[in-house]
Amino acid sequence: MFLWTWILYLIFIRDTRVQHKYSLSRCIYGFVNIACSASCQLVYTVPTQTSTRTCSGASLGVNCNSQALTQTENCNVLFPGILNGWGSWSACSASCNTQVNGPYQYRSQTCIVAFIWNPNYVGCNNVSLNDQQLCNQNVPCSSFISAWGACSASCQLSFTLPTQTRNCQYIGAIFNGSCNGAVFTDTQNCNEQVYCPGTISDWSFWGACSSICNNFFTVPFQTRSQICIRYLTWDPNYKGCPGITTSDQQTCNINVACSGTYGAWSAWNSCSESCQSNPATTPFQTQTILLSRDEVVLQVPIQEIMILGADFNGHVGEGNSDDEEVMGRYGVNERNTEGQMVVHFAKRIKMAVINTYFKKKEEHRVTYKSGGRGTQVDYILYRRRNLKEVSDCKVVPGESVAKQHRMVIGKMVLEVKKKKRVRAEPKIKWWKG
């Protein structure tokens, strides 16, 4: 009995070990692929595919030694795109054979659904998307002469004339096109005798003043100039820059008084007495001396007709309040310092500014024009006592006697006193008988 029990125990132990060994050997590994998530990489997200496997025959919690049952990898990375096929041929680039370039006609195709994540990839494995072919090869072109080209200069600057050219479009040569015998290039003069106006330079600096003080007869002034450059040279009478003033002047030292110089002594006047009637008072005679600036004017006898006309370089202005004795109301603009000096001078020598007595349009009152501005600086002075002899005074716009100065005309009716005829007494002739 004991022996059988021991034998059965050994058999049971042996069967258990065999069964356990059999359980470990039943772990089967095998991956099964699942399809890629996209047929190509179209965008920046890479397509993937997954493989799976199962663990079979495991027991006692072994579970295939915990090895992974799935794995993932990238797939279908590249996709070249699809060509959509050639389009129709375009119209021919020219209606005839110019023998210069072509003519051609063109067609194209497009690569679609190509990936975008590589900016350097043009799609479809760089297959050409454009195509061309010659067309109208046997269609002749007619030759023609082109229009005249632009002139080589906009004006004639020198004796060399500007030119322009035109060409015979020598096309269709294989069909004997020859511009009907015309030369290939033709040239002609253009803009002949078109004046080049020139370019004005900047103003120079003001020159020195013409006088260190204002003697009133000639108001001191200073000048500046500008020159016209690059104007035509073929016409010696053309000075360039038409309508542009090349010289300018302004007053200077007008408030600087001149000390004056004395003229010569006048002749002695009559003695105060023909004899000394009073022992205490000695008879006397006098002589005078005048300042040179008024000397000439005041030495003219009052009964003589005297007219002064000059560029006084001052504006007496409109209106004559408090100055009615020497001027009218029809000046130009406002009075300035120099104009006030003109008025004072007229009062001293008892003369009147006749420009201002007649109502005229401004164009017939302005005596000086420069740079688009006009004023009144030239005046005619006439004795106040003879004003009734003046019938008119005006400016002639189109006439000038000096640059920028217009002619001023005064009209006077002078009364010439006729000398009385002395009637001769008849002479009695005696005849001897």
Side-chain angles (χ1 to χ4, degrees), residues 67-130:
Q67 296 187 30
L69 299 180
T70 61
Q71 63 180 6
T72 303
E73 63 182 358
N74 295 336
C75 57
N76 295 336
V77 175
L78 296 178
F79 183 70
I82 302 172
L83 292 171
N84 68 343
W86 290 108
S88 302
W89 287 105
S90 67
C92 196
S93 60
S95 60
C96 58
N97 187 354
T98 62
Q99 292 295 298
V100 177
N101 185 17
Y104 297 99
Q105 57 185 169
Y106 306 92
R107 66 177 181 175
S108 63
Q109 59 183 348
T110 304
C111 182
I112 59 177
V113 200
F115 61 79
I116 62 173
W117 52 270
N118 184 354
N120 298 319
Y121 184 68
V122 296
C124 298
N125 295 322
N126 295 322
V127 174
S128 177
L129 302 179
N130 298 300

Side-chain angles (χ1 to χ4, degrees), residues 32-186:
V32 178
N33 291 332
I34 299 175
C36 192
S37 62
S39 60
C40 61
Q41 183 185 348
L42 188 62
V43 293
Y44 291 96
T45 303
V46 181
T48 60
Q49 65 181 2
T50 303
S51 299
T52 63
R53 62 183 176 178
T54 59
C55 179
S56 60
S59 64
L60 302 179
V62 176
N63 196 19
C64 296
N65 297 324
S66 299
Q67 296 187 30
L69 299 180
T70 61
Q71 63 180 6
T72 303
E73 63 182 358
N74 295 336
C75 57
N76 295 336
V77 175
L78 296 178
F79 183 70
I82 302 172
L83 292 171
N84 68 343
W86 290 108
S88 302
W89 287 105
S90 67
C92 196
S93 60
S95 60
C96 58
N97 187 354
T98 62
Q99 292 295 298
V100 177
N101 185 17
Y104 297 99
Q105 57 185 169
Y106 306 92
R107 66 177 181 175
S108 63
Q109 59 183 348
T110 304
C111 182
I112 59 177
V113 200
F115 61 79
I116 62 173
W117 52 270
N118 184 354
N120 298 319
Y121 184 68
V122 296
C124 298
N125 295 322
N126 295 322
V127 174
S128 177
L129 302 179
N130 298 300
D131 190 17
Q132 70 177 34
Q133 67 179 9
L134 294 169
C135 53
N136 291 337
Q137 291 297 289
N138 297 320
V139 180
C141 293
S142 300
S143 303
F144 66 94
I145 297 176
S146 67
W148 286 107
C151 193
S152 60
S154 59
C155 56
Q156 182 183 346
L157 184 62
S158 62
F159 290 98
T160 302
L161 297 177
T163 59
Q164 60 184 165
T165 60
R166 64 180 179 180
N167 298 323
C168 171
Q169 302 298 320
Y170 197 72
I171 58 180
I174 60 172
F175 303 106
N176 297 320
S178 60
C179 296
N180 297 321
V183 294
F184 184 77
T185 301
D186 191 14

Side-chain angles (χ1 to χ4, degrees), residues 327-343:
M327 64 177 292
R329 295 184 293 113
Y330 305 112
V332 176
N333 299 329
E334 297 181 358
R335 181 179 299 180
N336 60 8
T337 303
E338 296 87 343
Q340 187 62 52
M341 295 172 68
V342 175
V343 174

Side-chain angles (χ1 to χ4, degrees), residues 255-273:
N255 296 319
V256 180
C258 294
S259 58
T261 56
Y262 287 103
W265 286 103
S266 64
W268 289 104
N269 61 3
S270 301
C271 191
S272 59
E273 289 185 294

Side-chain angles (χ1 to χ4, degrees), residues 15 40 45 48 50 52 122 154 205 225-226 235 243 257 280 292 298 303 321 366 381 387 391 401 423:
D15 289 340
C40 61
T45 303
T48 60
T50 303
T52 63
V122 296
S154 59
F205 293 107
S225 63
Q226 55 185 354
D235 183 354
S292 60
L298 295 179
Q303 66 272 14
S321 178
V366 171
L381 275 60
L387 274 180
S391 59
V401 292
R423 190 172 181 180

Side-chain angles (χ1 to χ4, degrees), residues 214 216 219-220 250-255 312-317 334-345 376-377 379:
N214 187 357
F216 191 76
V219 178
Q250 66 178 8
T251 57
C252 53
N253 294 337
I254 58 174
N255 296 319
F312 287 91
N313 210 6
H315 308 156
V316 298
E334 297 181 358
R335 181 179 299 180
N336 60 8
T337 303
E338 296 87 343
Q340 187 62 52
M341 295 172 68
V342 175
V343 174
H344 288 332
F345 177 65
Q376 188 182 50
V377 294
Y379 303 104

Side-chain angles (χ1 to χ4, degrees), residues 304-323:
E304 296 285 341
I305 295 174
M306 182 170 64
I307 303 171
L308 295 180
D311 170 14
F312 287 91
N313 210 6
H315 308 156
V316 298
E318 292 182 294
N320 61 351
S321 178
D322 299 327
D323 299 314

